[in-house]
Amino acid sequence: MHQPPIPHVARTDPEIASLIEHEARREFEKIRLIPSENYVSVAVLEASGSVLTNKYSEGYPGRRYYEGQQFVDVIETMAVQRAQALFGVEHANVQPYSGSPANLAVYLAFAQPGDTIMGMSLPMGGHLTHGWPVSVTGKWFRSVQYGVRADTGRLDLDEVRDLARRERPKLIFCGGTAIPRTIDFPAFAEIAAEVGAVLVADIAHIAGLIAGGAHPSPAGHAGVITTTTHKTLRGPRGAMIMSTAEHAKALDKAVFPGLQGGPHDHTTAAIAVALHEAAQPGFRDYAHQVVANARALGGALTARGYDLVSGGTDNHLILVDLTRQGIGGKPAARALDRAGIELNYNTVPYDPRKPFDPSGIRLGTPAITTRGLGEEHMPAIAAWMDDAIAAAAKEDEAALDRIAHEVRDLMAAFPMAGWTTV
Ligand code: DSN
């Protein structure tokens, strides 16, 4: 059952309680490979489910618009200090509701509508909020986008530099949602400095790897760092903006009152708890194991004939082009989910197919590593994936059921925070 238990929900709203219980069991039984997801600790669950949800706290510690901040002020200050210490930054704002509002606050702090901004395009691995046309960031700003090379699947920093020199953007975003390779923050910083842009490192995917020393840090290179708190960082759903002292005031003003009302104090407390967990020595082991698992899984998939975008991975994430397998990403992802392996369909760079029916799948190892799986388990996962994709092509439902059963048997041996079998 769900941990912590939810007897009050069960009594007052049994339908919702039952759905929560089903979701907890689903998370326990599946091999969860969506690279932006994880399992938070019971401590994080408790903090985010606490009475702090009752409080309004517009403003910042010591400068609020409501009374009764005796404890909330201390909590937010602790969260800020823990972020500063963990990431080695001069300033942190822990109030953004999630990654997209955090990025929007950065635009508000540094750009006017119509200004030129630059980011990686969504189908090449960037994020919607880095200036993709359907996002407000692509509608209200003049967005120029860079991608990866067709032959390597990797960024070409000479191309990024040429584009920046030509377009003179006010903001340059680096980072994204489907980048399997190490981000060269010093190189981006050099380009931004040359054209007079503010460099924004969106580390949402890799924040936990950076905290654990498994990916280089943008601190000291990027003037602004944005991140969600719920991916590799393994905290509640939320976000942070970190920066040099120089940008602190503009960013704080942009978050509140520029973009948001009251911060979600229960989330702030849970972020503080997660940051404390990420500062423990065991988190370094976790971060390095995430990368080792991704390398092992990528290697096992390659050995089975799968094409990995950029040829492999340096981090937690793998992007697979299924063209050679003769199946689209969407039917493959559906079949894998049926087989107990959860991931998402994804465009690959230069994808000839449509975004809603693309050529690829995106997967990663943050969640399974939290469950305790190691490199030795990756060949079996690759074999199940291969079998499920072959079964999808033949519409072999029995094979998918068999794999789901085997997956459930494996995962039963790995405890999950948030679920208890007794
Ligand atoms: N939805 C996130 C992801 O899955 O990468 C990005 O916002």
Side-chain angles (χ1 to χ4, degrees), residues 28 39 367 370-373 410-421:
F28 178 66
Y39 296 92
T370 296
R371 288 291 293 276
L373 272 67
L410 173 76
M411 295 315 287
F414 294 90
M416 166 189 148
W419 171 260
T420 169
T421 35

Side-chain angles (χ1 to χ4, degrees), residues 34-37 98-100 126-129 176-178 202 204-205 228 230-231 237 317 344 346 362:
I34 294 176
S36 46
E37 293 185 350
S98 202
S100 298
H127 188 252
L128 275 167
T129 57
T177 59
D202 181 341
H205 263 260
T228 51
H230 47 267
K231 298 186 174 91
R237 300 196 82 86
L317 183 146
N344 66 278
N346 216 93
R362 187 187 69 150

Side-chain angles (χ1 to χ4, degrees), residues 7 10 35 76 136 178 208 252 310 409:
E76 186 171 331
V136 66
D252 282 355
S310 82
D409 280 353

Side-chain angles (χ1 to χ4, degrees), residues 80-411:
V80 166
Q81 288 171 347
R82 287 176 181 179
Q84 288 169 313
L86 188 64
F87 289 97
V89 291
E90 291 170 344
H91 177 70
N93 184 312
V94 297
Q95 295 194 4
Y97 298 142
S98 202
S100 298
N103 284 344
L104 207 50
V106 177
Y107 286 87
L108 185 58
F110 299 108
Q112 296 294 323
D115 280 350
T116 301
I117 62 92
M118 187 168 141
M120 191 177 205
S121 85
L122 182 68
M124 296 281 182
H127 188 252
L128 275 167
T129 57
H130 297 179
W132 189 239
V134 298
S135 151
V136 66
T137 62
K139 291 183 193 292
W140 289 359
F141 300 93
R142 185 179 161 271
S143 166
V144 293
Q145 304 261 279
Y146 58 86
V148 294
R149 287 175 60 112
D151 55 345
T152 61
R154 293 175 186 245
L155 262 179
D156 182 333
L157 284 159
D158 290 333
E159 276 179 22
V160 176
R161 184 179 297 104
D162 288 348
L163 190 64
R165 279 181 180 157
R166 212 166 47 240
E167 303 290 351
R168 314 292 296 186
K170 274 212 167 151
L171 293 173
I172 298 178
F173 281 85
C174 60
T177 59
I179 303 173
R181 295 298 182 179
T182 301
I183 300 168
D184 188 343
F185 296 119
F188 269 102
E190 215 181 282
I191 295 168
E194 188 189 323
V195 302
V198 174
L199 178 63
V200 188
D202 181 341
I203 60 166
H205 263 260
I206 52 173
L209 304 186
I210 292 168
H215 187 290
S217 170
H221 304 293
V224 180
I225 302 168
T226 61
T227 185
T228 51
T229 45
H230 47 267
K231 298 186 174 91
T232 47
L233 193 54
R234 220 162 57 180
R237 300 196 82 86
M240 306 192 292
I241 304 176
M242 298 174 278
S243 73
T244 54
E246 180 197 354
H247 297 315
K249 209 166 158 198
L251 288 165
D252 282 355
K253 259 178 69 184
V255 173
F256 175 85
L259 203 62
Q260 298 188 174
H264 295 173
D265 296 323
H266 55 301
T267 301
T268 305
I271 289 174
V273 170
L275 291 169
H276 181 64
E277 291 175 358
Q280 305 310 308
F283 197 85
R284 291 188 78 78
D285 301 338
Y286 165 69
H288 284 93
Q289 191 60 53
V290 167
V291 175
N293 283 351
R295 286 221 173 102
L297 183 53
L301 287 167
T302 304
R304 286 179 174 273
Y306 286 83
D307 284 331
L308 273 47
V309 171
S310 82
T313 179
D314 297 329
N315 55 30
H316 64 301
L317 183 146
I318 299 164
L319 195 55
V320 182
D321 184 342
L322 292 174
T323 305
R324 210 191 313 174
Q325 278 68 34
I327 185 170
K330 195 174 194 172
R334 289 246 162 101
L336 285 160
D337 192 48
R338 168 87 192 268
I341 298 169
E342 182 194 2
L343 43 69
N344 66 278
Y345 58 87
N346 216 93
T347 50
V348 295
Y350 304 97
D351 204 326
R353 299 168 66 118
K354 298 233 172 343
F356 206 57
D357 182 26
S359 302
I361 49 175
R362 187 187 69 150
L363 56 145
T365 51
I368 54 169
T369 306
T370 296
R371 288 291 293 276
L373 272 67
E375 287 135 283
E376 66 278 19
H377 301 107
M378 299 305 124
I381 295 178
W384 280 324
M385 287 179 63
D386 196 18
D387 287 353
I389 288 168
K394 291 184 276 173
E395 294 183 20
D396 183 350
E397 305 281 322
L400 298 178
D401 287 344
R402 172 191 54 83
I403 298 164
H405 192 80
E406 289 170 10
V407 163
R408 224 173 12 248
D409 280 353
L410 173 76
M411 295 315 287

